[in-house]
Amino acid sequence: MSSQPSPSRRLTPLKRPLNLRESVLEQLRTAIITGEIAEGSLVSAPTLGQALGVSATPVREAMMDLAREGLVETIKNKGFRITAMTDKELDDLAAIRLLIEPPSMPAAIGQITPEGFDELERLADACLAAADAEDLQGYLGFDREFHRFILDHIDNPQLTELATSLRTRTRLYGIKELASNGRLGDSAREHHKLIGLLRDGDGAGAEQLLRDHIGHARRVWATGSEEHHTPDGVGS
């Protein structure tokens, strides 16, 4: 474990958006999820702020949010340590997601309005465009919005919050390689397939597709290959 990484080599200075805190949060979250900032690293708000071209305040606020998400832990008088995740812990997260997300798809049938499907199409298009542009921050953000939007229609806020939290905590160390070789677009296109199944009222088909989609997050997205499998053989 390094005591202090060199985030200036990993992070891109930000422009001054209207919501600076959210922009800082999204970039740091993406850097952790994709492994750009290595797990176990000890980082400080001033150092990260310098790398991002912002003050330490929005960085510190973002890191507190990430601590609540379980991605970092606060180290008194030192800063924040990136939470390490074992393969077993990542497998466990995926197993829980498989238990709660895919079986919820039939409950969304008939609950999404035409305007809702228009929004899903917009998010799916944005995911695909981000994948093609190798914009991992954009991809992960739109992907999270897409799945949360569907879950919002089953009228179970606690399930939505849990599923979104588990999605956020998943590490995707192979996703950068997939984006660079053009394979991330294949996963992005699954969003459009899921929309079609939900629109057609095929709850069973939507459930199976989402089960496969989650499999990518643990297997292909996490490692860049198809070799990792969970105990159930599906991948997580």
Side-chain angles (χ1 to χ4, degrees), residues 111-122 149 153 199:
Q111 303 304 312
I112 304 175
T113 64
E115 294 76 16
F117 278 115
D118 288 343
E119 175 64 8
L120 284 175
E121 291 283 0
R122 183 191 71 80
F149 189 84
H153 287 79
R199 200 192 302 268

Side-chain angles (χ1 to χ4, degrees), residues 29-70:
R29 182 190 285 128
T30 300
I32 294 170
I33 290 174
T34 62
E36 289 295 309
I37 302 180
E39 61 180 28
S41 297
L42 184 64
V43 298
S44 70
T47 301
L48 292 174
Q50 184 177 17
L52 293 169
V54 301
S55 71
T57 298
V59 174
R60 190 173 292 109
E61 292 172 344
M63 294 301 276
M64 295 305 296
D65 287 340
L66 294 172
R68 286 187 284 272
E69 293 177 6

